[in-house]
Amino acid sequence: AWEEINNGLANPMVKVLAMDPNNSETIYAGCIGDGGLFKSCDAGESWSKIGENLPINLQITAIAITKDSHIYIAGWQQGIFESENGEKWEKKNNGLESLLIRAIAINPLHPEILYAGTQDGVFGSVNGGKRWKRLTNPPNQPKVWTIAIDPSATNIVYLGAWLSGVM
C-alpha cells in the first residue's frame, strides 16, 4: 500500500523527484503551485525547503543530479540553476534562448555535457551549463517533455515530445 510521507513538505504539488546517485537516503522534490525545492536526507521521512537564493515560488519542472552530486534544476520561465550542495544556487542561462524548460539530462560518462528540453526545442551544453547552444532548428521545434541518453552510446539522445512522439 502507498502512504504519504510529507512531514515538512509544505507544498504537496510535487512535479519531479530525483535521488542522489551516491546516497539513496537523499531525495529532492521539485514543486509547482507555490513552487519550491525540498530535500530529504532520510528517504522521505522528513523534508526541508532548500535554496534560499532561488527565486520565490520557483515552479520546478526538472531535476538532474550528476555522479559527483552536482544538482541541476529547471524553473519554469526562470531557466536552469546549478548547485554543489543544494543550498547556494547559480543561474546557468547563457545562450539558453527558451526558459520554458521541461527536461534536463546529463551525459552519464561526461557529466559536463547537459541537455535541456524546452517548449522551443533542445539546447545543449558541453561545459556544465556555462554556455548553451540550440541543437534543433526552426521552424519545426519539438516541444520536448523528456530526454533519455543511451548509457552505452552516449552520443545517442532520445526526445519525448508533445505531438511528435519519440525523436
Side-chain angles (χ1 to χ4, degrees), residues 15 27 34 39 46 66 76 81 96 119 124 133 144 152 160:
K15 168 80 171 134
I27 308 169
D34 290 336
K39 179 179 181 180
S46 63
T66 66
W76 190 249
F81 299 83
L96 197 57
Q119 282 292 105
K133 180 180 177 183
V144 178
S152 60

Side-chain angles (χ1 to χ4, degrees), residues 1-6 17:
W2 297 90
E3 66 180 80
E4 292 182 8
I5 50 173
N6 296 328
L17 293 170

Side-chain angles (χ1 to χ4, degrees), residues 102-106 114-118 121-123 144-149 157-160:
R102 294 194 185 275
I104 304 171
I106 300 168
L114 308 173
Y115 297 91
T118 77
V122 179
F123 293 81
V144 178
W145 287 59
T146 188
I147 302 171
I149 301 172
V157 179
Y158 297 92
L159 308 175

Side-chain angles (χ1 to χ4, degrees), residues 31-36 55-62 74-78:
C31 298
I32 58 173
D34 290 336
I56 295 172
N57 297 332
L58 181 66
Q59 308 288 302
I60 298 175
T61 56
W76 190 249
Q77 298 183 342
Q78 297 285 329

Side-chain angles (χ1 to χ4, degrees), residues 70-140:
H70 277 243
I71 310 158
Y72 293 88
I73 63 169
W76 190 249
Q77 298 183 342
Q78 297 285 329
I80 293 180
F81 299 83
E82 185 261 341
S83 177
E84 290 184 28
N85 59 15
E87 292 303 322
K88 186 174 188 235
W89 293 85
E90 183 180 348
K91 207 172 221 184
K92 299 282 188 168
N93 290 343
N94 189 9
L96 197 57
E97 298 168 25
S98 175
L99 301 181
L100 304 175
I101 301 164
R102 294 194 185 275
I104 304 171
I106 300 168
N107 183 307
L109 299 179
H110 304 283
E112 69 280 3
I113 299 175
L114 308 173
Y115 297 91
T118 77
Q119 282 292 105
D120 303 305
V122 179
F123 293 81
S125 174
V126 295
N127 55 17
K130 291 179 183 155
R131 178 88 179 125
W132 294 90
K133 180 180 177 183
R134 180 179 285 281
L135 301 179
T136 52
N137 296 314
N140 297 320

Side-chain angles (χ1 to χ4, degrees), residues 8 35 38 42 65 92 152 155:
F38 295 82
D42 55 13
I65 306 172
K92 299 282 188 168
S152 60
N155 61 323

